[in-house]
Amino acid sequence: MKQRVVKLTDFGGSENMVIFEADIPEPKVDQIIVKNNAIGLNYLDTYFRTGLYPWPNEDDLKIPGSEGVGNVYAVGSNVKDFREGDRVSYVTPVGAYAEYAVVNALHAVKINVDVKDHDVVASTLKGLTTHYLLHLTIKLNNNMTALVHAAAGGVGQLMGQWGSEIGATMIGTAGGPDKVDAAKKAGYHHVIDYKSEDFVKEVMKITNNKKCDVVYDSVAKDVFPGSMDCLKPRGLWVLFGQASGPITDFNLASLSAKGSLFVTRPTLFTYIANREEYNDASHQLYSRIADGRLNIAIHKTMPLEEVVAAHNELEGRQTKGAIVFTL
Ligand code: NDP
């Protein structure tokens, strides 16, 4: 049987993604095949598309995409946790932009709470990321002040709401007035328009020169010296993305010069390396959506055929919240 997928013809621009007819694959022993109902767009997808991140398998057919929701269609011989028909969400480095996605069973979970498909794919990869950033990379608490860049983005809007629930003072940066409004609605106590204001000066004013305990930096190249300047001595710089480009020239000695700073470059997949961690993080996320503690911001829903336009919007800084693909 055949299915529609998005095929990456070569690493590079968004125009290298085309709709393609492919066979529905068989699962390997530890995999499941999920018939997608909806698919989420993540900035991560652009890094694999351009070749910034190495493609994680040797398959000739390169299908991008990192999260989806749907029903289990086929189960590998070693998989005990799922049966055909189960409603599941999943995250994966690549492979989600398809009617039928091949998924490592470790990174799927049954959804037992009342959360709509579109909210699931607008929040799973971004929300699991938010969970580890706030609870595991550092245990954020109500005595701490955190700075989050791209606060109106998909991850950014979850960070604001969840960080405020913890009781931390949440400061966000966002590009332009509309995004500043969106970030304020997403729980940030202070939002700086970093297109028109010097965010380091503003952080100094907001904190009475005390600065922040932690900076969550997913923008990298364009902001990183400033990110470090916003940290208290012995503060933690969490560099978890590079929307403006990677940092290629970094002098480790600047960590001592700027106050014995710590730095980490985490990735979600290290924080969901076993079933217990994955289940716990998913439960923390979906229960918050179901009981209304987290509001999921969907920027737009688009048919998967519009994948090129969707990538262009995301990389063009035009989105507030998540883009969801329908099939
Ligand atoms: P977003 O919705 O946050 O989109 C990216 C945002 O980055 C833009 O909207 C824009 O917001 C900001 N940005 C700043 N400079 C640029 C630039 N030059 N080009 C494009 N965007 C820019 O995306 P996601 O929510 O999907 O992901 C947020 C970040 O988190 C990404 O960097 C992603 O890689 C990272 N991530 C990391 C994970 C990990 O485990 N390490 C897991 C998941 C996500 P503005 O206009 O307000 O500046």
Side-chain angles (χ1 to χ4, degrees):
M1 246 170 62
K2 295 285 184 186
Q3 61 157 338
R4 265 178 315 142
V5 306
V6 172
K7 172 181 165 178
L8 183 66
T9 55
D10 200 358
F11 298 117
S14 56
E15 70 282 358
N16 291 355
M17 293 181 295
V18 295
I19 300 292
F20 183 74
E21 200 178 68
D23 292 327
I24 297 177
E26 297 284 326
K28 294 193 183 131
V29 288
D30 294 322
Q31 295 175 335
I32 57 175
I33 305 296
V34 178
K35 184 174 190 308
N36 282 323
N37 291 332
I39 298 163
L41 172 61
N42 285 285
Y43 217 91
L44 175 67
D45 306 348
T46 71
Y47 304 147
F48 281 114
R49 192 202 73 218
T50 58
L52 179 66
Y53 285 4
W55 200 265
N57 61 47
E58 301 290 313
D59 299 350
D60 289 338
L61 177 59
K62 291 191 168 36
I63 302 174
S66 50
E67 73 179 299
V69 64
N71 295 92
V72 175
Y73 172 78
V75 177
S77 56
N78 280 353
V79 175
K80 303 282 174 261
D81 296 332
F82 301 101
R83 288 184 186 174
E84 277 176 35
D86 284 344
R87 180 179 182 235
V88 295
S89 68
Y90 63 87
V91 296
T92 175
V94 295
Y97 292 175
E99 285 180 283
Y100 294 82
V102 181
V103 174
N104 177 345
L106 176 63
H107 291 145
V109 70
K110 281 186 228 171
I111 307 173
N112 301 316
V113 287
D114 183 18
V115 181
K116 293 190 190 95
D117 283 345
H118 288 193
D119 286 343
V120 169
V121 289
S123 72
T124 299
L125 192 141
K126 299 169 184 73
L128 296 176
T129 300
T130 299
H131 169 262
Y132 88 72
L133 290 174
L134 298 178
H135 291 283
L136 302 176
T137 303
I138 182 173
K139 276 193 188 310
L140 197 69
N141 67 45
N142 59 2
N143 291 316
M144 291 180 171
T145 300
L147 174 67
V148 181
H149 290 307
V155 173
Q157 292 204 38
L158 293 171
M159 292 285 288
Q161 297 175 71
W162 203 326
S164 306
E165 180 199 320
I166 290 169
T169 300
M170 300 299 290
I171 305 174
T173 62
D178 285 359
K179 289 190 171 184
V180 167
D181 286 348
K184 281 187 182 154
K185 286 191 190 120
Y188 288 92
H189 303 98
H190 309 273
V191 184
I192 304 161
D193 182 346
Y194 61 174
K195 269 192 178 159
S196 61
E197 294 173 299
D198 177 337
F199 74 85
V200 179
K201 274 193 193 150
E202 294 304 311
V203 166
M204 290 301 212
K205 274 192 228 158
I206 291 165
T207 61
N208 287 325
N209 297 320
K210 290 197 177 113
K211 307 201 249 185
C212 303
D213 300 275
V214 53
V215 174
Y216 294 106
D217 185 349
S218 64
V219 174
K221 185 166 144 271
D222 289 354
V223 296
F224 86 93
S227 297
M228 296 167 77
D229 291 334
C230 292
L231 281 166
K232 291 177 182 173
R234 297 192 282 173
L236 176 65
W237 177 31
V238 183
L239 184 68
F240 71 103
Q242 54 260 308
S244 69
I247 296 168
T248 50
D249 182 20
F250 181 71
N251 178 2
L252 276 175
S254 61
L255 294 173
S256 66
K258 289 181 189 261
S260 303
L261 302 181
F262 293 85
V263 62
T264 181
R265 178 58 182 89
T267 174
L268 170 64
F269 290 92
T270 333
Y271 282 90
I272 50 170
N274 66 56
R275 171 55 56 197
E276 290 70 35
E277 286 174 335
Y278 195 85
N279 283 353
D280 177 58
S282 304
H283 171 73
Q284 301 263 358
L285 171 66
Y286 294 140
S287 60
R288 278 176 170 77
I289 301 173
D291 68 20
R293 277 178 288 168
L294 283 181
N295 178 41
I296 304 307
I298 297 180
H299 173 75
K300 208 185 246 187
T301 59
M302 302 167 91
L304 187 58
E305 279 71 13
E306 291 180 22
V307 64
V308 173
H311 273 231
N312 291 346
E313 273 198 49
L314 183 63
E315 291 175 290
R317 298 175 77 165
Q318 290 162 24
T319 58
K320 298 191 291 276
I323 287 182
V324 167
F325 291 121
T326 54
L327 288 148

